Amino acid sequence: MSTTFYSNGKLFISGEYLVLDGADAFALPTKFGQDLVVTEGENQIIEWKSYDYDKQLWFENVISFDEVINNADSEVETVKTTLINILHEAYLLNPEFIKQSKGYKITTNLTFPRNWGLGTSSTLINNIAQWTKINAFTLLKNSFGGSGYDIACAQNNTPILYRIENNFVEPVIFNPDFTENIHFVYLNKKQNSKTAIQAYNRHKDQNLAKSVAENNKITKAILNAKTLKEFAYAVEKHEIHLSNIMEIKTIKEIAFPDFNGTVKSLGAWGGDFVMVVSKENPKDYFTSKGYDVILSYDEMILQE
């Protein structure tokens, strides 16, 4: 007998960084995600296997119940130590999944390449929380840290507005008739969110309340845009706003200054995917620049 848990991946459309200081974040769950399949095992061990989207085994290890309970400090952070840390935090929140079991065989399966940055960790944390019957936001806070918007996407099948205070999640309607003008392009530059957040913390200034209010206003404009022009304008405004706070150039200025359209960083600036808003199909432009992974809105975003 096996039990399967599943979580959605995520794309952060607006509110990145400022979400940590209470701003509204607008995010979209993706059609891609990760499952976790749990089968009874024995010998007080967890036999763990993780598969990438192409069924390639990318991680395999055996973790003893003792390791989960004690979580010995390790000098070097590896996939195994990270996983033990998450399981240990889950154990502290609900020890029953260890106490009442002889062992487990667990497999995880991604439906997207794990370097895409759509939430390999957040989908794992949400799946482990479902399995161990604990609060996923608490598990995230105690293990990885972060705002929690990705957990909200993991749990919801609609666009969401998210606020860090009390992990407030509001499902919202975002279904404009110009989605065929929205594409997502993979930049293949892995950004470390922790490093990016440290950079943000160094730059955010004394006008934080004003910045948060401005973000919320722009987020509302993005969400309520009735035309492609309105949407592109609001998205561009968001880029400029964050560019000023972070004191770094926008991704369009750096990499695509000649592109006829809007390019927006998603999540940690400069990495993973960007959102492209344009009248013309942008595939030829980005392919000519060496970017081959270009997904349409319909291919990427989960729609009920």
Side-chain angles (χ1 to χ4, degrees):
M1 268 293 286
S2 66
T3 314
T4 302
F5 304 93
Y6 179 81
S7 295
N8 303 320
K10 47 60 179 179
L11 280 176
F12 207 149
I13 305 301
S14 77
E16 63 269 29
Y17 301 117
L18 287 160
V19 66
L20 295 161
D21 290 300
D24 290 348
F26 170 41
L28 297 169
T30 64
K31 283 182 174 172
F32 304 97
Q34 179 169 222
D35 71 17
L36 178 137
V37 184
V38 183
T39 312
E40 283 298 315
E42 49 199 23
N43 302 328
Q44 311 281 291
I45 58 168
I46 301 174
E47 295 173 57
W48 194 287
K49 290 181 179 180
S50 290
Y51 293 91
D52 213 330
Y53 76 106
D54 54 5
K55 309 283 186 279
Q56 292 291 313
L57 184 70
W58 70 269
F59 172 74
E60 180 177 19
N61 221 304
V62 173
I63 296 167
S64 69
F65 279 10
D66 280 348
E67 287 175 295
V68 173
I69 293 164
N70 299 316
N71 192 24
D73 281 340
S74 61
E75 296 295 305
V76 187
E77 194 177 320
T78 62
V79 174
K80 183 178 179 178
T81 61
T82 303
L83 182 55
I84 289 173
N85 184 43
I86 297 168
L87 292 169
H88 173 70
E89 293 299 340
Y91 169 79
L92 295 179
L93 292 165
N94 179 16
E96 296 307 309
F97 81 98
I98 291 292
K99 284 183 177 172
Q100 297 195 351
S101 172
K102 292 177 185 162
Y104 294 105
K105 289 178 181 175
I106 290 180
T107 57
T108 67
N109 304 280
L110 284 164
T111 66
F112 59 90
R114 63 196 169 95
N115 56 353
W116 276 13
L118 293 181
T120 310
S121 308
S122 53
T123 52
L124 174 67
I125 285 171
N126 193 60
N127 284 337
I128 288 175
Q130 290 182 78
W131 162 45
T132 58
K133 299 183 172 64
I134 57 173
N135 185 304
F137 290 105
T138 309
L139 181 58
L140 176 80
K141 189 168 130 237
N142 296 357
S143 56
F144 261 62
S147 72
Y149 87 91
D150 44 7
I151 296 293
C153 281
Q155 298 177 352
N156 284 275
N157 296 333
T158 61
I160 56 153
L161 261 187
Y162 176 77
R163 220 168 291 133
I164 199 166
E165 194 182 351
N166 302 323
N167 307 119
F168 171 82
V169 183
E170 181 189 347
V172 291
I173 292 165
F174 180 74
N175 191 19
D177 52 17
F178 48 79
T179 50
E180 72 272 14
N181 300 104
I182 302 173
H183 289 78
F184 300 97
V185 180
Y186 178 56
L187 298 187
N188 198 14
K189 289 191 179 70
K190 193 75 195 132
Q191 284 296 81
N192 184 320
S193 332
K194 284 179 183 168
T195 317
I197 288 164
Q198 283 164 357
Y200 162 73
N201 285 332
R202 279 198 304 276
H203 287 99
K204 64 181 184 185
D205 57 14
Q206 303 316 305
N207 298 328
L208 194 56
K210 197 174 153 202
S211 293
V212 167
E214 177 67 6
N215 169 86
N216 293 357
K217 200 170 129 193
I218 297 169
T219 295
K220 208 170 180 179
I222 288 173
L223 201 48
N224 296 328
K226 294 284 178 278
T227 64
L228 182 64
K229 195 178 173 184
E230 277 176 28
F231 182 72
Y233 176 74
V235 165
E236 216 154 289
K237 207 169 168 189
H238 191 287
E239 280 288 273
I240 293 162
H241 183 230
L242 257 191
S243 166
N244 292 337
I245 293 172
M246 307 273 288
E247 294 177 14
I248 53 174
K249 287 181 172 177
T250 67
I251 191 69
K252 185 171 175 180
E253 285 175 297
I254 295 166
F256 313 112
D258 59 340
F259 178 66
N260 185 16
T262 302
V263 185
K264 186 190 180 308
S265 288
L266 303 175
W269 268 38
D272 301 330
F273 279 89
V274 289
M275 179 171 71
V276 174
V277 185
S278 59
K279 280 183 182 167
E280 311 299 321
N281 189 318
K283 285 195 176 181
D284 290 348
Y285 173 87
F286 286 98
T287 309
S288 74
K289 296 271 186 184
Y291 300 99
D292 297 329
V293 181
I294 303 157
L295 282 82
S296 69
Y297 187 93
D298 285 350
E299 287 169 322
M300 177 67 95
I301 302 304
L302 187 63
Q303 291 151 77
E304 281 207 308

